[in-house]
Amino acid sequence: MNKRQDRHRKKKKKKKFVRGFFFLLVLILGFAGYIFYQYYTGLQAAGEGFDKNAATDFDGAEVDKLGKINVLLLGIDSRGEEKSRTDTIMIAQYDTKEGTAKLVSIMRDTYVEIPDYKNYKVNTAYFLGGPELLRETIQENFGIDLHYYALVDFKGFQQVVDTLAPEGIEMDVEQSMSKNIGVSLEPGVQMLDGAELLGYARYRADAKGDFGRVERQQKVINALKDELISVNGVTKLPKLIGTVQPYIETNVDGAEVIGILKDFVLNTPEDIETMTIPVEGSYTSASYSHAGSVLEIDMEENKAALDAFLNGGSSVVTSDSEEEQ
């Protein structure tokens, strides 16, 4: 090969590289533009959201080398009050190494020791001192370290469902439901929109009361997980983040959210394991003048059960069934 042919070959190779690089750059910019557009669309459609306390402290533990992330999930119905109790208290755990997810619901009437206060219902800790005091309460009573918190207004939940699944989420409604949920539901398998799914998750006017409500909440979260990891759900992630942003307060920054979501989507758990505190047979109903009706629990039994469920160990009895965790 003479020098002229060699120069010609190198010139052609350089042109191909430039064209390929330009094409890749266009793809990256187009993808970034799509993400921004979807995020902005979700943000615009979401509305004003609720007033957040940007100064909220949360002294969460550092995520250890085991890769298990514990998030305190709190659900509130914001109606403009300066202070409110949280209707929903959950611990969500995602194991980034094993790709497993677990969800613990703590009954809001559980009677616990609140640091520097009297014993109260566990949801009173949020009323008295926000997410941080609730974190301290859970750590002191159950010995569980929490790394992050996410406070979600129920209006945001409704918006997310309607954005993720405009046709609704399939749910098997066990019975007629209407009392204090703002919608009327009839028994049977059906597609529920955001308002209906929220009403289903909040219903507690049956024999199971709050325990039934917790079971439905866990059922709803599993259904949403399946929709989120579908191809349809993954393409809507930027819009979903924009939609929920006005309705969520959290100490997880944007980069951490993206990292956790990436791990979750790429290593999706087949199912979300669930349990409820207090566990079956470990509590009695009681009443106190300063706290009202409460669930008085066997603290050691529940502490051991929660530790076994989240950190491994012996079999535990959950409120749903007896199984090896």
Side-chain angles (χ1 to χ4, degrees):
M1 182 183 296
N2 58 41
K3 290 183 178 179
R4 180 180 293 181
Q5 289 175 323
D6 187 50
R7 284 198 301 270
H8 181 69
R9 182 182 62 81
K10 288 181 178 179
K11 199 172 182 180
K12 284 182 65 177
K13 189 175 181 181
K14 185 177 181 181
K15 283 183 178 179
K16 284 180 67 176
F17 173 79
V18 171
R19 284 198 299 267
F21 178 76
F22 180 75
F23 180 69
L24 180 62
L25 184 62
V26 169
L27 281 179
I28 292 172
L29 290 174
F31 184 62
Y34 168 80
I35 290 175
F36 176 78
Y37 173 76
Q38 289 292 315
Y39 170 80
Y40 184 75
T41 301
L43 193 62
Q44 289 294 103
E48 293 184 2
F50 70 103
D51 291 332
K52 304 173 189 178
N53 181 7
T56 296
D57 291 324
F58 192 82
D59 190 20
E62 290 187 13
V63 178
D64 59 31
K65 293 180 180 179
L66 295 177
K68 291 182 178 180
I69 301 171
N70 294 331
V71 182
L72 177 62
L73 296 180
L74 307 174
I76 63 167
D77 186 5
S78 177
R79 300 177 184 178
E81 314 96 324
E82 186 176 346
K83 282 189 173 183
S84 61
R85 288 176 172 80
T86 175
D87 282 347
T88 300
I89 302 172
M90 294 179 172
I91 299 172
Q93 182 185 88
Y94 179 60
D95 189 326
T96 58
K97 291 187 176 180
E98 298 297 327
T100 58
K102 297 179 180 182
L103 188 68
V104 179
S105 296
I106 301 178
M107 301 294 294
R108 61 183 182 176
D109 290 344
T110 303
Y111 196 56
V112 296
E113 181 180 340
I114 299 178
D116 299 323
Y117 291 91
K118 293 181 179 179
N119 285 23
Y120 284 104
K121 296 178 182 180
V122 66
N123 71 335
T124 304
Y126 174 78
F127 176 81
L128 294 171
E132 171 57 16
L133 183 57
L134 184 51
R135 182 200 67 78
E136 292 174 14
T137 299
I138 291 172
Q139 204 285 327
E140 182 164 312
N141 287 270
F142 300 105
I144 297 298
D145 287 330
L146 298 165
H147 306 108
Y148 304 109
Y149 83 94
L151 175 66
V152 183
D153 186 359
F154 288 133
K155 291 178 184 176
F157 171 86
Q158 184 174 324
Q159 294 266 18
V160 165
V161 172
D162 289 335
T163 299
L164 180 62
E167 303 300 318
I169 298 288
E170 184 176 291
M171 193 60 54
D172 186 1
V173 180
E174 310 92 69
Q175 62 190 64
S176 296
M177 301 178 183
S178 60
K179 187 176 180 181
N180 297 327
I181 60 173
V183 294
S184 294
L185 303 175
E186 295 303 320
V189 177
Q190 55 203 281
M191 304 300 287
L192 302 183
D193 63 22
E196 292 167 335
L197 196 64
L198 177 60
Y200 173 79
R202 298 187 72 185
Y203 183 74
R204 61 190 183 103
D206 60 6
K208 290 186 175 181
D210 265 350
F211 282 94
R213 184 178 68 130
V214 163
E215 288 177 10
R216 282 184 282 276
Q217 289 174 350
Q218 294 173 344
K219 183 178 171 183
V220 164
I221 287 177
N222 257 308
L224 287 175
K225 181 268 297 182
D226 291 338
E227 186 67 30
L228 179 64
I229 63 174
S230 67
V231 174
N232 173 62
V234 170
T235 60
K236 290 182 178 179
L237 273 178
K239 188 174 182 179
L240 283 172
I241 293 173
T243 299
V244 78
Q245 183 173 315
Y247 299 97
I248 188 169
E249 176 184 298
T250 181
N251 67 326
V252 187
D253 65 32
E256 289 171 318
V257 169
I258 292 171
I260 293 171
L261 284 175
K262 175 182 68 67
D263 288 341
F264 189 84
V265 170
L266 294 177
N267 199 11
T268 305
E270 291 185 11
D271 197 16
I272 298 177
E273 298 178 68
T274 62
M275 79 173 297
T276 301
I277 295 293
V279 295
E280 188 174 358
S282 70
Y283 64 91
T284 56
S285 297
S287 182
Y288 296 97
S289 59
H290 69 285
S293 297
V294 302
L295 297 174
E296 202 148 36
I297 72 172
D298 182 324
M299 188 59 69
E300 289 306 312
E301 180 179 350
N302 280 277
K303 183 176 180 179
L306 185 56
D307 179 65
F309 182 69
L310 292 178
N311 301 322
S314 60
S315 63
V316 299
V317 180
T318 73
S319 61
D320 302 316
S321 61
E322 294 188 23
E323 57 183 338
E324 292 292 325
Q325 301 292 353

